Amino acid sequence: MLNYNNSVIVIMDGGLGNKFNGLFQGIYFSNFYHKDLVVNNVRNRSTDFDLKLLFDFNFTYIENTITELDKKLEPSIPLYAHRRDIKYNRQVFLNQPIGKDSTFLLLNDRLSVTPEDLKSCYSRLKINSTIKDKVNRFVSDNNIDNNTLGLHIRASDFPSRDENIHYAYNFIKNNPTKRIFICTDEKAVEDFLKPNKNLVFYNKSHYTEKQNPAAGWNGRVIDSDNRHWNYNASRNELSIIEAFIEMLILSKTNIYGNSRSTFLGWAKRFKESGLI
């Protein structure tokens, strides 16, 4: 049995923005409660990547499904979570404040940290130098700055996909002379927009794909923890790296898009982070 002493054990789960929410919430609790940080990244097909390819850090990093982690961890370690996905082998506190436990497990894809407190969290990691170089080179070569409009089009499996695309098309139509950096996860949307001469794109080779090609974007899928989701999306490691590069480029612009997107939220946070 694994038994991390005096630690916050964070479960990174969900999409890229959701995983960042969990990661930085865990970093905040680690700082606030003066505990070691252990980060467990759940590598499902929806977001299958190694965190070490995005960031450099010194905290403990492991990779398990939620089921695997629950079996490996000492059962006396409680879980604080915003939802109950599986039958756990431990006490679960749903949407409850953190108690006085020496070590606890955290599953939370909602960020409840003030911008001021986030500043101390950013110091716990650095953006991978290769990614940072690619971002800075693209920004320099394409004269990207705060005068450049940045438009995030969250498509693929997002519940308001069609609404987001409609908003984006109108936004582009209403700004025909403005330079706009386009950041989207769906290749068909990007291909449709590329003829517009005022739009700027980061050339990607990997995109979000459907786990089940025969179903719609919100078709039912089952993940490695036997959880059922209406998010029929598959993102491999290379697509996540390219998406992260796009997120950081977007952070250099004057950002527009659906405010409910956690991806968009992190582009805005990285803009103020001093990390890039």
Side-chain angles (χ1 to χ4, degrees):
M1 286 287 180
L2 295 176
N3 188 10
Y4 297 99
N5 295 321
N6 193 41
S7 297
V8 180
I9 307 167
V10 179
I11 300 174
M12 286 178 59
D13 188 35
L16 186 60
N18 298 117
K19 286 192 171 186
F20 284 175
N21 281 353
L23 171 64
F24 282 91
Q25 187 69 55
I27 291 174
Y28 169 74
F29 282 146
S30 170
N31 291 345
F32 185 82
Y33 292 110
H34 305 289
K35 297 182 182 296
D36 294 334
L37 180 64
V38 179
V39 173
N40 182 90
N41 185 18
V42 179
R43 294 187 65 160
N44 279 317
R45 287 181 64 186
S46 61
T47 45
D48 186 11
F49 70 98
D50 184 341
L51 186 66
K52 299 191 296 296
L53 296 177
L54 305 188
F55 296 104
D56 299 326
F57 49 82
N58 293 320
F59 46 77
T60 300
Y61 175 72
I62 55 178
E63 295 178 346
N64 297 278
T65 68
I66 296 176
T67 305
E68 290 169 344
L69 183 64
D70 184 57
K71 290 178 179 178
K72 292 178 181 180
L73 276 181
E74 169 61 45
S76 62
I77 298 173
L79 167 67
Y80 291 86
H82 69 282
R83 64 174 189 263
R84 186 192 295 270
D85 290 332
I86 67 169
K87 185 177 181 180
Y88 290 96
N89 186 36
R90 64 195 64 254
Q91 189 171 14
V92 179
F93 297 97
L94 287 178
N95 300 307
Q96 297 295 316
I98 304 299
K100 297 182 179 181
D101 310 279
S102 172
T103 295
F104 62 88
L105 190 60
L106 179 71
L107 173 59
N108 188 351
D109 62 9
R110 304 167 186 171
L111 187 69
S112 302
V113 183
T114 68
E116 188 64 28
D117 286 331
L118 268 177
K119 292 178 181 178
S120 62
C121 297
Y122 295 135
S123 64
R124 296 288 298 272
L125 38 69
K126 294 181 180 179
I127 294 170
N128 174 277
S129 59
T130 300
I131 288 177
K132 194 170 182 177
D133 288 346
K134 288 181 179 181
V135 171
N136 289 333
R137 189 180 308 117
F138 183 89
V139 167
S140 176
D141 290 347
N142 292 276
N143 299 312
I144 302 291
D145 58 24
N146 205 50
N147 294 315
T148 308
L149 302 183
L151 181 60
H152 177 231
I153 311 173
R154 177 65 169 90
S156 66
D157 63 334
F158 204 69
S160 60
R161 171 189 179 273
D162 294 347
E163 176 187 331
N164 293 348
I165 292 173
H166 181 72
Y167 167 84
Y169 288 175
N170 283 335
F171 183 89
I172 293 166
K173 181 180 178 180
N174 293 331
N175 292 279
T177 63
K178 301 283 183 67
R179 293 181 74 247
I180 308 174
F181 172 69
I182 300 295
C183 171
T184 184
D185 57 342
E186 190 173 331
K187 189 177 189 301
V189 174
E190 187 174 291
D191 288 343
F192 179 80
L193 293 174
K194 277 191 172 178
N196 293 274
K197 301 300 183 183
N198 63 317
L199 305 185
V200 182
F201 299 87
Y202 178 76
N203 290 325
K204 303 193 295 290
S205 56
H206 300 83
Y207 295 83
T208 302
E209 298 180 352
K210 293 178 180 178
Q211 289 191 36
N212 178 4
W217 281 112
N218 296 116
R220 179 66 62 93
V221 295
I222 302 174
D223 69 12
S224 51
D225 284 299
N226 200 34
R227 298 178 296 177
H228 294 243
W229 303 98
N230 290 320
Y231 299 102
N232 183 25
S234 177
R235 303 173 183 90
N236 65 25
E237 197 159 68
L238 292 175
S239 73
I240 291 293
I241 292 171
E242 291 182 335
F244 187 45
I245 291 171
E246 277 196 315
M247 179 190 285
L248 296 175
I249 295 170
L250 187 66
S251 77
K252 296 290 189 177
T253 68
N254 188 3
I255 305 171
Y256 292 83
N258 189 330
S259 61
R260 289 175 291 175
S261 165
T262 54
F263 186 103
L264 181 78
W266 275 104
K268 290 181 176 180
R269 292 185 187 98
F270 282 125
K271 188 181 185 74
E272 307 297 331
S273 70
L275 287 171
I276 184 68

